[in-house]
Amino acid sequence: VHYRIDTKYFEYIQTQHPVIFMKPSELFYLHNILVKNIDRIAPEDDDPVRLILDELVLPPNPTKEEIENDSQISLTLQPMLPKELASSVFIDEIEKLYESTKHLIIDMLIEADESVNVDIISFIMSQDNNDATQVLQNLATLEQNRHPKVTKANDFDDIMEDIKNDIAVKTHLREKLLFEKERMEKTLSKLHEKEETIQSTIEEYDQYLQGCLKESLNYKQEKKKKRRNSAVKYSCASLVKKKVISSISLNSAHAYFTIEKMDDDLGSFHIRVLIKGIEIHSLDLIYSELLDRQYNGQYELDILDGRCTLRINLLVYLLTTIQ
C-alpha cells in the first residue's frame, strides 16, 4: 500500500489558490439566477448560499453599452471552512498542522514497516526520534485547539481512521487509474494492429497500381510495335478539301501523302509525298516545332521547294488524329 495520499483537506494547505475570470455583467447575471431560483438551489434556511445572498443587495441590470464595454476581473477562490472548525481563529494553521501531523505519522509507519492498524500511541512511544516527539507535540496542540478528530479520550483513533480512509480513497483511485491504463494500452495495441493492417492494405494497393501501370506500359509498347511502319495515306485532293493544303502547283491527280508517327518519339512524324507510287519528297515534322511556328505568327509551311503550301493550324489538327 502506498501511503502518499491526496486528502480532502488538500485545498487548505495549497500555497496557490485557483483564479477565475468573469465580467461584471456575467457576475450580475449569475447573481440574478441564484436569487430567482434560491428555493430550488438552497431549500434549507441555514444554507450558506441563502445566507450569503441575504447579506447582499440585489444586483443591478447593466445596459447593453455597459455589457459591451465590460472588462474581465479576476476572482481568487478560497476554500470554504468546515462548520465544526469555524469558531477557531487559527483554523488555517490548525488544519495545516493536522495535515502535516498525518504525513509525519505516515512517514514513521513507512520507515518502521508498520500497518495502519497499529495502536498509534504505543507505536509513537516506541519510536526514539525527533519525528515521534514532533507528532506528540502536534497532537497535544491539536487537542488543545479542539480539533474534532484529535482527542486523547479515544487514543487518537479518529486521526488513524482518517488516514485509513485517505489510503482507501487513494487505493481506489490508483486501481481505477490502473484499470484505465490497461484499457488504454489495449486500445493502443488494437490501433497499432489496425495501423499495420491499413499499411499492409496500402502496400497491396500500391503493388496493384504498379502492376496495372506496368501492364499499361507493356500494352502501349505492344500497340506501338503493331503500328510500326504503318502509315496513314491521304490523297492531295482530300487534303485540299480538308484545307490542309492551301496551294499546290504540281499534278495532284496521282499525288498522295503518307504520314507515319515515329515509334521512338510520339511527337515526331515522317511525311512522304508520292506520285504514282514514286517518292518525290520526304520530311520529318516535330509537333512542338509546328506549335512554335504557329505561336510566332508563321501560319503556313512550304514544301516541295515552294510548290506546295500547308496550313500549319490544320496540319497540327490532322496530326493529332493519327494514332
Side-chain angles (χ1 to χ4, degrees):
V1 176
H2 295 269
Y3 292 106
R4 296 297 178 187
I5 53 180
D6 295 326
T7 75
K8 59 184 178 181
Y9 298 108
F10 178 72
E11 60 183 3
Y12 299 113
I13 59 174
Q14 283 184 314
T15 57
Q16 293 183 345
H17 295 291
V19 177
I20 61 174
F21 296 91
M22 295 184 69
K23 294 181 178 180
S25 58
E26 295 172 340
L27 194 60
F28 298 152
Y29 176 76
L30 180 61
H31 190 172
N32 274 315
I33 292 295
L34 290 173
V35 171
K36 292 177 181 178
N37 298 275
I38 188 62
D39 292 332
R40 295 172 57 189
I41 297 171
E44 302 294 335
D45 292 337
D46 60 345
D47 191 285
V49 175
R50 184 181 289 273
L51 296 176
I52 292 173
L53 290 179
D54 289 342
E55 295 179 4
L56 300 175
V57 297
L58 291 176
N61 292 317
T63 64
K64 183 178 180 180
E65 183 179 353
E66 290 175 336
I67 293 175
E68 292 176 350
N69 296 327
D70 259 356
S71 58
Q72 287 186 334
I73 58 175
S74 61
L75 302 174
T76 302
L77 303 182
Q78 298 288 345
M80 185 176 177
L81 304 180
K83 289 182 180 179
E84 62 267 22
L85 300 179
S87 60
S88 175
V89 293
F90 304 108
I91 180 64
D92 289 338
E93 289 77 7
I94 293 301
E95 282 304 313
K96 290 179 182 178
L97 182 62
Y98 179 72
E99 291 300 318
S100 65
T101 303
K102 284 170 60 177
H103 284 289
L104 277 174
I105 293 173
I106 291 169
D107 289 339
M108 292 172 63
L109 291 172
I110 294 174
E111 187 175 352
D113 197 20
E114 284 287 352
S115 167
V116 290
N117 295 317
V118 70
D119 179 82
I120 187 61
I121 296 299
S122 300
F123 171 71
I124 294 174
M125 296 301 293
S126 65
Q127 303 296 308
D128 185 17
N129 53 46
N130 294 333
D131 287 344
T133 303
Q134 187 64 54
V135 168
L136 291 174
Q137 290 177 356
N138 292 353
L139 291 175
T141 302
L142 291 168
E143 186 177 25
Q144 183 180 357
N145 285 277
R146 300 180 181 277
H147 194 286
K149 294 188 178 181
V150 180
T151 172
K152 200 173 184 178
N154 63 357
D155 294 329
F156 303 107
D157 284 343
D158 288 344
I159 189 172
M160 294 304 295
E161 286 299 321
D162 198 16
I163 290 174
K164 291 177 185 178
N165 290 336
D166 290 340
I167 292 174
V169 171
K170 186 68 175 180
T171 302
H172 174 71
L173 290 175
R174 183 178 295 106
E175 291 174 351
K176 186 176 180 180
L177 289 173
L178 287 174
F179 173 77
E180 289 296 325
K181 180 184 176 184
E182 292 176 359
R183 187 175 67 85
M184 294 300 293
E185 286 177 345
K186 289 180 181 178
T187 302
L188 185 61
S189 176
K190 290 181 179 179
L191 288 174
H192 284 317
E193 292 177 1
K194 186 69 174 177
E195 181 185 18
E196 291 175 0
T197 303
I198 292 174
Q199 187 62 37
S200 176
T201 304
I202 292 174
E203 291 175 358
E204 290 177 1
Y205 274 117
D206 185 61
Q207 292 176 1
Y208 171 75
L209 292 174
Q210 292 294 335
C212 290
L213 181 61
K214 186 176 180 180
E215 289 182 6
S216 177
L217 291 174
N218 290 337
Y219 173 77
K220 288 182 178 180
Q221 288 176 357
E222 290 295 328
K223 196 172 182 180
K224 284 172 63 177
K225 289 179 182 178
K226 292 179 181 179
R227 283 204 311 263
R228 186 166 295 170
N229 299 325
S230 61
V232 182
K233 185 177 180 180
Y234 296 97
S235 67
C236 282
S238 66
L239 293 180
V240 170
K241 187 176 180 180
K242 293 177 183 289
K243 298 184 179 180
V244 176
I245 296 178
S246 63
S247 65
I248 186 168
S249 61
L250 52 81
N251 185 9
S252 60
H254 303 286
Y256 58 89
F257 285 67
T258 62
I259 303 175
E260 182 182 359
K261 184 182 288 187
M262 305 300 288
D263 292 336
D264 57 342
D265 192 341
L266 297 180
S268 299
F269 298 86
H270 181 65
I271 298 178
R272 300 166 66 208
V273 183
L274 300 97
I275 295 179
K276 294 183 178 182
I278 300 173
E279 181 179 318
I280 62 172
H281 185 73
S282 68
L283 73 157
D284 292 328
L285 293 179
I286 299 176
Y287 191 83
S288 59
E289 291 182 357
L290 292 175
L291 293 176
D292 287 339
R293 285 172 177 265
Q294 189 175 5
Y295 179 78
N296 293 323
Q298 299 179 22
Y299 302 111
E300 293 183 335
L301 174 67
D302 291 330
I303 61 174
L304 293 169
D305 298 326
R307 289 179 292 171
C308 180
T309 303
L310 306 175
R311 291 187 177 93
I312 291 179
N313 60 335
L314 295 177
L315 176 61
V316 167
Y317 175 74
L318 180 67
L319 295 179
T320 59
T321 63
I322 297 176
Q323 299 297 323

